[in-house]
């Protein structure tokens, strides 16, 4: 476990739930399925099945995924993702299957499905840069899934599943790091400031949640952005975080909370919570020893851990660290399983606890 004895009380709700599952007591059916949309932080393998260079279906990705026998699954980490731990905490399967996996069937997808695509953003131009699924294509796949679920479970049962399911939406970072700051003459160039572009991204996020609600979603975990200036790839020479990027993320997150308040007031039956990523990740980076971490500035994978990700993080690199559990980041952008678990614990003990 990641937490120390001093912090056991913080995680009591999770421990109680897991003990109920292990003891054979029936788990609460308040959340019968976890449905995931977003980017690489939550993509459990969909990019394996589309034509894109944004992939991680090769070693050493997945090397510590015990449930997958240490094999790469398309998750951008050494093991499980936050969504996998959240699924398990709700008494659902410990791995959320990617919807595009041809081996997945409705028996396995009925309790959870991932529609996320690594490299995606709210801005279609962001997704187009890497030829990955746009957020609206992810929604199309969800609509297809819902139709299949109705055939599999029947209209009434499927309606209940889709209404009571938890929808986790996580993206936005790529819109800034891979689009706004990286493509000065691209679609984002029409916005004179990062704040103005953030306003556009927030408007798309709001439209997307309204579309989800119209399709039956009621329980939604809408995630904010992390301290993106502290990602290994974005740190300045010497290891300091790029505070300009962190300020943009905080400004965006404040706007997202305002959007959530508005949506909760306008969408009938909706219970939308703000998924705080910035706070828990910042805490882990500021107090690494409390999380069992030793290195929070570089990724485990590769010689430098500052730029290696995707195909640059591969089995031919002999300098990948031996123990990813000591690192906050697996590659130059993505968290290790240890940080993913810490984030899941924090979310389950705060905003997601209302759905237990």
């Amino acid at each position: 476990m990641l937490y120390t004895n001093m912090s056991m009380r913080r995680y009591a709700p999770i421990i109680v739930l897991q003990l109920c599952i292990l003891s054979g007591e029936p788990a609460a059916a308040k959340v019968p399925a976890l449905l995931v949309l977003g980017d690489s932080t939550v993509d459990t393998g969909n990019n394996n099945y589309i034509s894109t260079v944004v992939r991680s279906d090769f070693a050493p990705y997945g090397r510590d995924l015990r449930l997958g026998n240490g094999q790469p699954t398309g998750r951008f980490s050494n093991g499980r993702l936050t969504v996998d731990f959240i699924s398990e905490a709700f008494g659902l399967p410990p791995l959320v299957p990617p919807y595009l996996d041809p081996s997945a069937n409705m028996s396995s997808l009925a309790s959870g499905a991932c529609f996320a695509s690594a490299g995606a953003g709210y801005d279609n131009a962001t997704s187009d840069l890497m030829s990955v699924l746009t957020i609206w294509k992810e929604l199309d796949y969800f609509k297809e899934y819902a139709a299949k679920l109705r055939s599999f479970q029947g209209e009434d049962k499927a309606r209940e599943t889709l209404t009571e399911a938890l929808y986790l939406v996580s993206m936005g970072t790529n819109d800034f790091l891979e689009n706004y700051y990286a493509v000065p003459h691209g679609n984002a160039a029409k916005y004179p400031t990062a704040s103005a572009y953030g306003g556009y991204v927030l408007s798309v996020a709001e439209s997307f949640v309204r579309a989800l609600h119209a399709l039956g979603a009621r329980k939604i975990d809408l995630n904010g952005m992390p301290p993106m200036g502290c990602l290994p790839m974005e740190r300045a020479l010497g290891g300091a975080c790029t505070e300009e990027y962190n300020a943009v993320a905080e400004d965006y997150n404040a706007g997202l909370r305002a959007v959530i308040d508005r949506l909760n007031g306008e969408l009938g039956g909706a219970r939308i919570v703000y998924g705080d990523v910035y706070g828990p990740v910042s805490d882990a980076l500021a107090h690494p020893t409390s999380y069992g971490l030793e290195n929070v500035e570089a990724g485990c994978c590769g010689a430098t851990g500052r730029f290696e990700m995707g195909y640059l993080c591969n089995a031919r690199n002999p300098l990948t660290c031996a123990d990813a559990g000591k690192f906050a980041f697996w590659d130059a952008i993505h968290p290790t399983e240890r940080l993913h678990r810490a984030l899941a614990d924090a979310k389950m003990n705060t905003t997601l606890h209302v759905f237990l």
Side-chain angles (χ1 to χ4, degrees):
M1 293 183 181
L2 284 182
Y3 40 83
T4 64
N5 290 335
M6 293 177 63
S7 60
M8 286 288 284
R9 187 175 300 175
R10 293 173 54 200
Y11 299 95
I14 301 171
I15 298 169
V16 170
L17 178 62
Q18 291 176 339
L19 287 176
C20 286
I21 297 169
L22 293 173
S23 68
E25 295 179 22
K30 291 183 179 180
V31 174
L34 178 63
L35 303 175
V36 181
L37 304 105
D39 59 20
S40 58
T41 57
V42 293
D43 180 3
T44 60
N46 285 309
N47 276 21
N48 297 354
Y49 309 103
I50 64 175
S51 180
T52 178
V53 297
V54 186
R55 308 172 74 99
S56 59
D57 54 340
F58 46 84
Y61 285 98
R63 73 175 193 188
D64 300 312
L65 186 62
R66 296 184 182 87
L67 294 172
N69 297 316
Q71 297 300 309
T73 61
R75 288 168 171 80
F76 277 80
S77 187
N78 61 305
R80 289 201 280 169
L81 307 183
T82 301
V83 293
D84 296 313
F85 291 113
I86 289 173
S87 178
E88 184 176 33
F90 277 109
L92 302 171
L95 294 176
V96 181
Y99 177 69
L100 294 184
D101 183 349
S103 68
N105 54 43
M106 289 312 298
S107 293
S108 60
L109 293 170
S111 58
C114 177
F115 308 93
S117 179
Y122 284 114
D123 187 344
N124 284 347
T126 302
S127 301
D128 291 344
L129 285 170
M130 296 295 180
S131 300
V132 300
L133 303 181
T134 66
I135 189 66
W136 302 106
K137 185 61 178 178
E138 291 184 28
L139 192 66
D140 285 341
Y141 280 126
F142 166 70
K143 293 176 185 177
E144 182 181 276
Y145 164 86
K148 292 179 180 179
L149 188 67
R150 286 190 286 271
S151 296
F152 179 72
Q153 292 186 332
E155 288 288 340
D156 292 343
K157 178 63 175 177
R159 185 182 305 110
E160 178 185 354
T161 298
L162 295 173
T163 299
E164 297 297 330
L166 175 62
Y167 296 74
L168 189 150
V169 182
S170 182
M171 62 172 56
T173 304
N174 290 328
D175 290 309
F176 288 92
L177 297 184
E178 305 302 329
N179 188 353
Y180 183 80
Y181 288 113
V183 188
H185 302 295
N187 183 57
K190 68 180 72 170
Y191 302 96
T193 65
S195 180
Y197 181 62
Y200 165 69
V201 174
L202 286 169
S203 72
V204 179
E206 179 172 350
S207 296
F208 183 73
V209 172
R210 290 183 183 276
L212 265 182
H213 179 267
L215 293 171
R218 294 296 180 267
K219 302 174 180 178
I220 302 173
D221 177 24
L222 188 56
N223 282 226
M225 292 200 298
M228 58 185 182
C230 294
L231 301 177
M233 184 173 284
E234 307 305 331
R235 285 179 179 264
L237 292 176
C241 297
T242 303
E243 294 304 335
E244 175 192 352
Y245 288 178
N246 286 349
V248 168
E250 289 188 288
D251 182 60
Y252 173 87
N253 291 342
L256 189 64
R257 287 191 290 270
V259 166
I260 290 171
D261 288 343
R262 181 166 59 250
L263 291 172
N264 276 324
E266 296 178 6
L267 300 182
R271 188 162 194 181
I272 306 166
V273 298
Y274 170 67
D276 183 16
V277 178
Y278 194 104
V281 172
S282 293
D283 190 65
L285 301 186
H287 308 98
T289 56
S290 297
Y291 295 82
L293 300 170
E294 296 181 5
N295 189 322
V296 299
E297 296 184 4
C300 164
C301 191
T304 70
R306 291 298 180 88
F307 66 88
E308 295 92 343
M309 62 170 288
Y311 286 113
L312 294 178
C313 171
N314 58 66
R316 292 187 296 275
N317 195 317
L319 298 178
T320 294
C321 75
D323 184 1
K326 296 178 181 179
F327 284 69
F329 295 97
W330 166 246
D331 60 20
I333 293 289
H334 303 100
T336 55
E337 180 180 85
R338 179 171 286 260
L339 186 54
H340 273 294
R341 180 189 286 272
L343 179 56
D345 284 351
K347 287 167 67 66
M348 288 302 303
N349 197 51
T350 54
T351 50
L352 294 186
H353 184 56
V354 300
F355 298 122
L356 288 173

